[in-house]
Amino acid sequence: MFLSLRGIVKRFGAVTALDGVSLDVAEGEFVCFLGPSGCGKTTLLRSIAGLELPEAGSILLGGEELARTPARLRNFGVVFQSYSLFPNMTVARNLAYGLECRGWKRSEIEERVARMLSLVRLDNQAEKYPHQLSGGQQQRIALARALAPRPRMLLLDEPLSALDAKVRDELRGEIRDLQRALGVTTIMVTHDQDEAMEIADRIVLMNDGRIEQVGSAADLYERPASRFVAAFVGRMNVLPLAGGAFAGVSFSGMAAQEVVGIRPEHVELCTAEHADAIAGRVEKSVFLGSVTRVTLAVGGGRMVIELRGRVADLAPGSPLAVRLPPDALHRLSGGPH
């Protein structure tokens, strides 16, 4: 395995930021660390980069223990939320500086700078200074600078969070394309689930210093391992069963006291006479273009359903019957989140 983490523990005073984290990352893989603020994702990235020293555990890169290797000698490209470009240097000099420090020949530097500027589509900005560029352009230069020395791994700490939504959407696709073109193993920290689901080969979902689940976007969405995963990734209706039933409808194979979940788009409309019908009343209906999102009062609680397109006659107070297909129900472990 290219990168192996084993039992990583990191504390800040009385706070345990990482609690025995273990993970393997394959060479050339794009992995996203996803989770809420304070879950430990940035601390884990900084530990890999050598910017934090874990109290316990090992970090192996190609079988080599990195514990005693200073950050500057790990040959990792690191990009933070702040661009950290040298304001007194042109774009070309920003890219060249790190190569000069590594003793590259002038001809090699010029060729590499031109190559990187072409990859991020900023060939015509080489002689400009950072303050003359937009935020998106500055972050492209920061990426190019990190990739210029041919790093063994690229580490990205929420690199897009300071940008507006439209630029962020454009750049995350470009980052993925760039990573594929270069084949560099990449780990990115984000709190944006859409971002992680769009670009990652695998997502590492973290909570309270631990890994809750590792898998593809489809794995986490369709097969959540816990109640936390189900609630964090997408929308999920969490339904406590009593006697294996919800709102009077029994589900075979379910335990008497169990918590299950169902995605809003999997709830089906039906007639009130249907054998599995659950009666509810519309509290709110919002048309979102591709779907209509309905909040339904049912079974002493609320359920959100999503119906394709625009659905008429869903005024507040309107009766509505739904059914929960048994094969769309997820057993959810873990306490409330």
Side-chain angles (χ1 to χ4, degrees):
M1 188 55 61
F2 183 69
L3 176 69
S4 293
L5 312 179
R6 292 291 176 266
I8 303 298
V9 175
K10 177 63 181 176
R11 300 183 184 89
F12 296 100
V15 177
T16 300
L18 298 173
D19 191 4
V21 172
S22 296
L23 177 70
D24 289 326
V25 177
E27 188 169 9
E29 192 174 22
F30 196 127
V31 172
C32 276
F33 292 168
L34 176 67
S37 297
C39 70
K41 56 188 185 294
T42 292
T43 301
L44 185 57
L45 187 85
R46 289 175 62 84
S47 297
I48 295 169
L51 302 175
E52 299 288 355
L53 182 63
E55 276 89 342
S58 61
I59 300 174
L60 303 173
L61 186 68
E64 174 191 351
E65 173 60 66
L66 293 181
R68 293 179 177 82
T69 305
R72 70 181 186 279
L73 299 180
R74 296 191 183 192
N75 191 24
F76 293 163
V78 184
V79 179
F80 298 102
Q81 178 180 338
S82 58
Y83 318 127
S84 301
L85 300 175
F86 300 118
N88 61 328
M89 293 184 183
T90 64
V91 164
R93 287 285 300 132
N94 262 278
L95 269 62
Y97 182 74
L99 305 181
E100 292 170 355
C101 293
R102 289 169 170 82
W104 285 42
K105 296 177 181 178
R106 179 175 291 277
S107 60
E108 293 175 332
I109 292 173
E110 290 176 352
E111 181 180 341
R112 187 61 174 170
V113 168
R115 163 72 170 152
M116 298 314 300
L117 287 175
S118 176
L119 278 174
V120 296
R121 303 203 309 274
L122 290 174
D123 316 60
N124 59 347
Q125 308 294 321
E127 297 310 313
K128 287 188 177 180
Y129 288 86
H131 73 272
Q132 296 174 303
L133 305 178
S134 69
Q137 289 174 324
Q138 290 185 56
Q139 196 59 296
R140 285 184 179 94
I141 295 303
L143 281 165
R145 184 178 63 179
L147 289 165
R150 298 191 178 95
R152 300 176 75 183
M153 193 156 54
L154 179 63
L155 306 177
L156 309 173
D157 188 6
E158 305 221 36
L160 308 180
S161 58
L163 304 172
D164 64 53
K166 184 177 180 181
V167 175
R168 191 164 62 241
D169 288 348
E170 292 173 356
L171 258 184
R172 66 192 186 198
E174 290 182 21
I175 288 174
R176 184 52 164 151
D177 291 344
L178 192 61
Q179 187 268 340
R180 283 175 172 158
L182 297 174
V184 61
T185 307
T186 301
I187 298 176
M188 185 170 87
V189 165
T190 181
H191 63 273
D192 185 328
Q193 60 174 281
D194 291 341
E195 195 167 275
M197 293 177 79
E198 179 180 336
I199 65 179
D201 294 317
R202 285 192 303 153
I203 297 169
V204 178
L205 183 55
M206 299 185 65
N207 183 40
D208 290 337
R210 298 190 179 107
I211 293 176
E212 289 272 346
Q213 188 172 350
V214 180
S216 67
D219 290 333
L220 271 63
Y221 190 83
E222 297 173 0
R223 294 172 290 279
S226 68
R227 186 168 177 176
F228 173 82
V229 177
F232 193 87
V233 179
R235 294 174 179 268
M236 180 72 80
N237 293 297
V238 177
L239 314 173
L241 301 186
F246 174 74
V249 176
S250 297
F251 298 96
S252 60
M254 295 293 180
Q257 302 294 329
E258 191 165 16
V259 175
V260 299
I262 187 167
R263 298 290 183 189
E265 67 271 22
H266 294 155
V267 180
E268 298 178 355
L269 297 184
C270 67
T271 63
E273 294 75 30
H274 194 284
D276 294 334
I278 295 173
R281 288 198 174 273
V282 175
E283 285 193 349
K284 178 170 70 169
S285 174
V286 181
F287 176 58
L288 299 173
S290 59
V291 300
T292 297
R293 184 172 294 147
V294 183
T295 303
L296 202 63
V298 60
R302 289 182 177 84
M303 183 186 301
V304 176
I305 66 175
E306 290 182 351
L307 308 172
R308 185 171 298 177
R310 184 171 179 80
V311 182
D313 304 323
L314 291 176
S318 302
L320 198 66
V322 298
R323 66 178 294 269
L324 311 180
D327 59 358
L329 294 174
H330 301 272
R331 285 185 169 90
L332 302 179
S333 63
H337 290 278

